[in-house]
Amino acid sequence: ISDEAAPGQKQGPTFKDGRRRVDYVLTYHIQKPQSVRRNTSRFSGSRVLRSLRQTLSLSKSPAMPPPKIDPEIAAQEHRLDYHEDDKRFRQNEFEDNLREMGLELEKDEGNKIPGIGFVKIHAPWNVLCREAEFMKLKMPTRKVYEVKQGSNLVEKINLFIHKVTEPLHPKVESNKPQNVKPLSYPFSREKQHLLLGNGVYTAAYPLHDIAWEGFDNISLLSPQLLYEEWASYSVFYKYQPIGLIRKYFGDKIGLYFAWLGIYTQMLIPAAIVGVIVFLYGCATVDDNIPSMEICDPRNNITMCPMCDRACSYWKLREACGTARASHLFDNPATVFFSIFMALWAAMFMEHWKRRQMRLNYIWDLTGFEEEEDHRRAEYELRVMKKTLKKQHKSTQVCLSLPLITSWWSHHCCLKIVTFAIVFGVILYRISIRAALHMSSNPSNIRATVKGTAAVINLIVIIIMDEVYGALARWLTLLEIPKTDKSFEERLIFKTFVLKFVNAFTPIVYLAFFRGRLDLFYFPDDLFTTKRDTCAHAGCLMELCIQLCITMLGKQLIQNNLFEIIIPKIKKLIRRRKSDMDSQQQEDYNLTLQRYEKDHFLGPFEGLSPEYMEMIIQFGMVTLFVASFPLAPLFALLNNIIEIRLDAKKFVTELRRPIAARAKDIGIWYNLLRGLSKVAVIVNAFVISFTSDFIPRLVYQYMYSSDGSMHGFVNHTLSYFNVTEFQPGTAPLQPLHLGYEVELCRYKDYREPPWSNTPYDLSKEFWAILACRLAFVIVFQNVVMLMSDFVDWLIPDIPKDISMQIHKEKILMVELFMKEEKGKKRLRENHSNQSPVQPRCRPSSQETSNC
């Protein structure tokens, strides 16, 4: 790359000389003419206009007195002028600092965007070389070596896989297998910290490269190539050009899309197994004995009312549809799927670590260490204010202030989390209570409650997500973190906790608390509206419905539709504000320079929203997968669209982000690893306490006379004497079924009314509870042991990469030894030469090779 463009070669936007390329752009507001004038020029101009107006007015009406200036307006104008002077001083000082660093600047205030000025910045070649040394950027040397993929068998397998998947790879040079790799070595000088202006410029961004049309070979860094091979929906089945993404957007964004691609690929086997588990439930639903007993009309089982007065007795066979549907998700295959998904999560984490290490090697980041994080400007400002402001307080109080602030903010977080839980539970119970009093048909009641409550929860989740995002940022600002890295990590953690609790509060309530909060109620409240119970088939079906609606709703509405519709609405609003029609707008856009076009693009706000969206989805896929085996399939379909949607947004709708170096995904990996560990425990409790898996096993092996499931439904139902209803709670229509009911049944393990301890928890309840707890302990330890074994079995660094890194070190030592020997021979030859014919030593500028 040269400092100036070669003749006849297009280098994108340039300075007015047509030679120096525009590398970066700063934008600022241009004051209107009447507010730009300062001091004497401003007042003298005002006096001339004022005297001219007075002369004209006196010629028409000599008796009119001169106008008086409002002192408040004059003072306000003086403050505005002072503010503008201060901004102009900061701007000039900042630009002088940039010039001192060797950058070249050119201003453009006569552009086609009124009120906006541009500062075009060009980095000369010597500045780029200096910064490369500061960053210890690895650069390829002339020395190359052969890259081996491992043993001959492994190499043949990799070549075979590459040939088979050739149609799935994008048509870019970086995706072709390379047999040789140049030896790279980092520069050594330390990085200096550069200060930036604050509040002076409105935007700062590098430019998108121009898509050059009319050329046979498109530039490898052209947005046109990125759009065709990455952002287009027509290539949804292809791999992403990760190398090209990294070259254009930087390491950090390249790692995000590489991680998203690995996550999406790993969802394919999970989705296939989940579909098989669901199909197994569909195939065995007619052979499920408990659902057959519920649907059998010969089983004349009368059930107790589900609410006070308005509800009456009903037949168990009315829950036939719910029982059959529950079997689709509550069958022995879901236990296998839970174990599979726990191992899948471990495999995914190991696969990503290996892929990340391979990318570090390919991108020459193996020896990269993050720089020392510098203090935030807000932190420095607070320290400066405390230093300047002489407070008459003890040093101990001043030192404890950050701790108090941090404690207070975390206390606020806990309050918000509690509020989210209580709000979700109350809203859900209100919807249930309202629906129960609307109808006396149990099947209609259940269907209405499930659908409306899930939709209400989805709406609340979407609204509160935005509130919690702003709240997390406000709480982080209160803490005043010292460095940018600390600020980012604290903000990410708070946002994750709040949004995670917001999304999973109704799901956790359904899975573990519904119907169990009144466990020790005596018969007075067994059948009142206080008892929020699930259907006879259990809470797993309602949990599945809640997961399905929440997951699909968040993906379709909050993620995809918002990202598609909101930008289009903003464009429509800008177009309606403009006085030009569509043709005039198109002609106007053709006259704009590249930096002017990029000014109208949306600002890049970081990768945190993208990561957060996927982390919450990962929680949906792993935490409650025992109740919703189709979650990986829905996640896979969403991610296929999400990758291309994000790609199109980055290429066409956002300003080009500043390329940032990174060797991993940071705190997001820790969050993923934590979720994968918690998922094992959650699925153990879902299988044990939410589903009927353990009660079925206990009945089959402890209480069944023939070892089958016949009689299981009757075993799970207890008796209630209808004469023991509290006053005012009995059904208004006791003869609703056509006969008088003396005993009704309800789902629970309690003693019958004729026993010595009526309505107490029965011995079957305690036996099942002991088995449930034992299953949780065994399942958790066995699955975690298997996950740790997978983690130990698969090395973090691929063997071929470790061998090549070791080979690079050896070659680098040999190269330096060879260079030192050459220098030694050169010095010996120089010393042996006659002094009559001295050799001129070339200057460092001539021999330097950056």
Side-chain angles (χ1 to χ4, degrees):
I1 303 174
S2 61
D3 189 15
E4 297 179 350
Q9 182 182 3
K10 294 188 177 181
Q11 293 288 335
T14 60
F15 281 15
K16 292 180 181 179
D17 56 13
R19 300 175 64 85
R20 292 172 294 175
R21 177 188 173 93
V22 178
D23 298 311
Y24 202 78
V25 170
L26 302 173
T27 66
Y28 58 93
H29 285 299
I30 302 175
Q31 282 298 109
K32 297 180 180 180
Q34 59 267 24
S35 60
V36 170
R37 302 188 184 97
R38 291 285 183 261
N39 298 331
T40 57
S41 61
R42 178 179 182 272
F43 288 109
S44 61
S46 301
R47 287 168 184 165
V48 170
L49 292 175
R50 195 179 298 116
S51 61
L52 180 60
R53 289 171 183 165
Q54 289 177 359
T55 305
L56 292 175
S57 62
L58 286 173
S59 63
K60 295 180 180 180
S61 55
M64 183 178 295
K68 296 183 179 179
I69 301 176
D70 191 344
E72 293 185 0
I73 297 177
Q76 183 178 4
E77 290 182 355
H78 178 71
R79 287 193 298 269
L80 292 175
D81 293 341
Y82 174 79
H83 179 65
E84 293 301 325
D85 282 339
D86 182 62
K87 288 179 63 177
R88 182 172 289 101
F89 174 78
R90 291 185 182 183
Q91 180 178 348
N92 294 334
E93 184 181 18
F94 179 70
E95 292 172 2
D96 291 340
N97 291 336
L98 293 180
R99 292 188 182 95
E100 288 180 4
M101 297 302 299
L103 300 175
E104 299 175 2
L105 278 62
E106 182 181 80
K107 285 192 175 183
D108 182 6
E109 296 186 352
N111 57 82
K112 300 178 179 62
I113 305 178
I116 298 295
F118 295 90
V119 178
K120 296 179 284 186
I121 302 176
H122 169 70
W125 179 248
N126 60 336
V127 174
L128 296 178
C129 292
R130 183 191 67 206
E131 291 301 314
E133 294 180 10
F134 288 161
M135 297 170 62
K136 297 181 181 180
L137 189 66
K138 279 191 174 182
M139 300 295 290
T141 63
R142 294 181 180 181
K143 179 70 175 179
V144 296
Y145 65 96
E146 184 179 1
V147 177
K148 294 184 178 181
Q149 302 296 331
S151 62
N152 294 331
L153 179 61
V154 174
E155 188 172 358
K156 290 180 180 179
I157 294 175
N158 290 336
L159 289 176
F160 174 75
I161 294 175
H162 188 273
K163 289 181 180 180
V164 172
T165 59
E166 182 69 26
L168 302 180
H169 290 278
K171 298 178 181 179
V172 295
E173 294 291 332
S174 60
N175 285 292
K176 295 183 179 179
Q178 298 180 354
N179 297 325
V180 295
K181 184 180 184 294
L183 191 63
S184 301
Y185 187 74
F187 290 87
S188 60
R189 286 194 293 172
E190 295 294 330
K191 178 78 169 68
Q192 295 180 358
H193 180 53
L194 304 179
L195 297 177
L196 296 179
N198 183 18
V200 176
Y201 299 98
T202 58
Y205 51 90
L207 300 182
H208 280 288
D209 290 336
I210 296 179
W212 304 328
E213 298 180 357
F215 286 76
D216 295 333
N217 296 324
I218 301 177
S219 170
L220 287 179
L221 289 182
S222 171
Q224 181 179 347
L225 183 61
L226 278 171
Y227 186 85
E228 292 176 356
E229 297 295 334
W230 181 44
S232 176
Y233 289 105
S234 60
V235 294
F236 72 93
Y237 60 92
K238 289 188 176 183
Y239 293 105
Q240 299 180 87
I242 297 299
L244 186 62
I245 297 170
R246 177 251 179 178
K247 289 180 180 178
Y248 193 81
F249 292 109
D251 300 335
K252 185 173 287 189
I253 294 178
L255 282 173
Y256 164 71
F257 281 103
W259 173 83
L260 182 57
I262 293 295
Y263 172 48
T264 305
Q265 291 176 23
M266 290 294 293
L267 282 173
I268 296 176
I272 293 174
V273 177
V275 171
I276 293 175
V277 170
F278 178 75
L279 294 178
Y280 169 81
C282 296
T284 59
V285 66
D286 292 331
D287 300 329
N288 184 37
I289 296 176
S291 62
M292 292 171 60
E293 289 183 348
I294 293 175
C295 299
D296 192 352
R298 294 174 297 179
N299 292 333
N300 191 22
I301 299 179
T302 303
M303 302 298 293
C304 297
M306 293 185 294
C307 65
D308 293 345
R309 298 177 62 82
C311 302
S312 185
Y313 307 103
W314 56 286
K315 293 292 185 181
L316 179 61
R317 63 174 177 268
E318 294 179 7
C320 174
T322 304
R324 291 174 62 86
S326 297
H327 178 73
L328 302 178
F329 306 98
D330 188 4
N331 55 71
T334 57
V335 180
F336 158 76
F337 190 55
S338 300
I339 299 175
F340 170 81
M341 287 302 296
L343 298 178
W344 172 88
M347 290 286 293
F348 164 61
M349 302 302 294
E350 292 301 313
H351 185 31
W352 167 243
K353 283 194 293 186
R354 290 170 62 85
R355 174 62 173 165
Q356 182 176 263
M357 192 62 206
R358 188 175 295 275
L359 291 176
N360 287 341
Y361 167 73
I362 296 174
W363 296 349
D364 290 326
L365 296 172
T366 50
F368 169 72
E369 297 294 338
E370 292 187 2
E371 306 169 4
E372 180 183 356
D373 206 2
H374 300 281
R375 295 181 178 182
R376 298 175 63 243
E378 291 82 357
Y379 178 83
E380 295 283 1
L381 181 61
R382 178 62 63 93
V383 172
M384 182 181 66
K385 286 183 177 180
K386 286 185 178 181
T387 304
L388 296 177
K389 186 178 180 180
K390 297 180 180 179
Q391 299 177 344
H392 300 284
K393 294 183 179 180
S394 64
T395 307
Q396 183 178 1
V397 174
C398 295
L399 291 175
S400 62
L401 183 60
L403 298 176
I404 295 174
T405 305
S406 178
W407 172 86
W408 182 79
S409 63
H410 284 87
H411 187 63
C412 287
C413 281
L414 293 177
K415 285 187 176 180
I416 296 300
V417 169
T418 305
F419 166 77
I421 296 175
V422 174
F423 184 80
V425 172
I426 291 175
L427 185 61
Y428 196 82
R429 291 174 67 89
I430 289 175
S431 63
I432 289 178
R433 186 173 299 179
L436 287 174
H437 286 82
M438 287 169 51
S439 172
S440 59
N441 191 335
S443 59
N444 292 338
I445 290 174
R446 295 295 178 185
T448 304
V449 167
K450 293 173 186 176
T452 55
V455 172
I456 291 172
N457 277 320
L458 172 63
I459 295 173
V460 172
I461 288 172
I462 293 176
I463 295 174
M464 296 304 293
D465 256 359
E466 304 301 322
V467 177
Y468 287 155
L471 181 63
R473 187 170 189 85
W474 178 68
L475 291 174
T476 309
L477 289 173
L478 286 179
E479 294 183 1
I480 318 174
K482 188 175 182 179
T483 62
D484 290 327
K485 183 178 180 181
S486 176
F487 177 85
E488 183 181 10
E489 290 182 349
R490 294 186 185 190
L491 176 61
I492 289 173
F493 183 74
K494 286 183 179 61
T495 307
F496 168 75
V497 170
L498 291 174
K499 291 193 174 184
F500 181 85
V501 172
N502 180 44
F504 286 93
T505 294
I507 298 172
V508 171
Y509 169 71
L510 273 175
F512 304 124
F513 296 101
R514 189 179 180 196
R516 297 180 176 90
L517 298 177
D518 51 0
L519 185 64
F520 298 100
Y521 282 165
F522 195 60
D524 303 351
D525 298 323
L526 279 176
F527 312 111
T528 63
T529 53
K530 297 178 183 178
R531 184 172 170 84
D532 181 19
T533 59
C534 300
H536 182 272
C539 293
L540 204 65
M541 185 62 191
E542 297 184 26
L543 179 61
C544 174
I545 293 175
Q546 181 66 58
L547 268 171
C548 181
I549 293 180
T550 302
M551 188 174 183
L552 292 179
K554 281 181 66 66
Q555 290 179 351
L556 293 178
I557 299 175
Q558 191 174 20
N559 299 338
N560 294 333
L561 291 183
F562 279 8
E563 293 183 3
I564 296 174
I565 293 178
I566 290 181
K568 292 185 179 297
I569 292 177
K570 290 181 179 179
K571 288 182 180 179
L572 182 62
I573 292 175
R574 286 199 303 263
R575 189 172 299 174
R576 287 187 175 275
K577 288 182 178 180
S578 177
D579 297 331
M580 297 180 289
D581 55 22
S582 58
Q583 184 61 38
Q584 292 175 339
Q585 185 71 33
E586 184 176 351
D587 296 338
Y588 172 73
N589 291 336
L590 293 176
T591 62
L592 295 176
Q593 298 291 331
R594 178 74 264 172
Y595 55 86
E596 295 172 330
K597 292 180 180 179
D598 287 2
H599 178 74
F600 290 110
L601 298 178
F604 174 68
E605 298 178 351
L607 291 172
S608 293
E610 312 297 336
Y611 272 115
M612 190 66 65
E613 174 186 337
M614 291 296 108
I615 295 295
I616 296 296
Q617 184 198 87
F618 182 81
M620 294 280 183
V621 169
T622 56
L623 287 179
F624 294 90
V625 73
S627 61
F628 190 36
L630 295 179
L633 176 63
F634 291 142
L636 174 64
L637 297 177
N638 173 80
N639 289 4
I640 292 175
I641 301 174
E642 182 73 20
I643 289 176
R644 308 304 165 179
L645 187 65
D646 286 347
K648 186 176 181 181
K649 180 174 64 176
F650 272 81
V651 174
T652 63
E653 297 177 2
L654 296 180
R655 295 170 186 162
R656 188 175 183 176
I658 299 174
R661 302 189 72 197
K663 63 184 303 183
D664 52 42
I665 60 176
I667 191 176
W668 300 107
Y669 179 82
N670 298 330
L671 294 178
L672 284 169
R673 193 170 184 84
L675 280 178
S676 63
K677 298 296 183 183
V678 173
V680 178
I681 303 174
V682 170
N683 281 291
F685 276 94
V686 169
I687 295 171
S688 182
F689 286 90
T690 309
S691 72
D692 284 337
F693 177 74
I694 299 300
R696 287 196 297 262
L697 287 181
V698 172
Y699 175 78
Q700 186 175 3
Y701 292 104
M702 291 182 62
Y703 298 104
S704 176
S705 58
D706 56 357
S708 67
M709 294 301 297
H710 290 287
F712 171 73
V713 174
N714 184 66
H715 182 262
T716 61
L717 298 177
S718 299
Y719 290 90
F720 180 75
N721 190 343
V722 298
T723 60
E724 298 183 10
F725 275 117
Q726 291 294 314
T729 62
L732 295 176
Q733 298 178 353
L735 301 178
H736 172 70
L737 297 178
Y739 58 87
E740 185 178 358
V741 178
E742 297 180 357
L743 294 173
C744 62
R745 310 291 296 275
Y746 61 96
K747 187 178 181 180
D748 208 343
Y749 291 96
R750 292 181 180 269
E751 296 291 341
W754 55 82
S755 68
N756 296 329
T757 55
Y759 306 113
D760 283 354
L761 295 173
S762 63
K763 60 180 181 179
E764 288 85 357
F765 171 83
W766 299 110
I768 292 174
L769 179 61
C771 293
R772 280 173 165 168
L773 294 176
F775 176 83
V776 169
I777 296 173
V778 173
F779 182 90
Q780 172 188 341
N781 286 278
V782 169
V783 174
M784 284 193 173
L785 181 62
M786 295 171 65
S787 300
D788 293 339
F789 177 74
V790 171
D791 191 359
W792 171 82
L793 186 65
I794 303 175
D796 295 344
I797 304 177
K799 185 177 181 180
D800 59 322
I801 297 298
S802 60
M803 293 174 60
Q804 290 168 13
I805 293 175
H806 181 68
K807 185 177 181 179
E808 273 194 2
K809 293 179 179 179
I810 296 176
L811 290 175
M812 187 61 64
V813 172
E814 292 178 354
L815 182 63
F816 284 165
M817 292 296 294
K818 185 177 180 180
E819 183 180 0
E820 288 298 324
K821 290 179 180 179
K823 290 181 179 180
K824 184 178 180 181
R825 285 196 299 266
L826 183 62
R827 287 194 298 268
E828 291 176 354
N829 294 335
H830 180 71
S831 61
N832 293 332
Q833 286 180 354
S834 173
V836 180
Q837 297 178 352
R839 292 186 61 180
C840 293
R841 182 179 180 181
S843 63
S844 59
Q845 293 181 353
E846 295 176 356
T847 59
S848 63
N849 185 11
C850 296

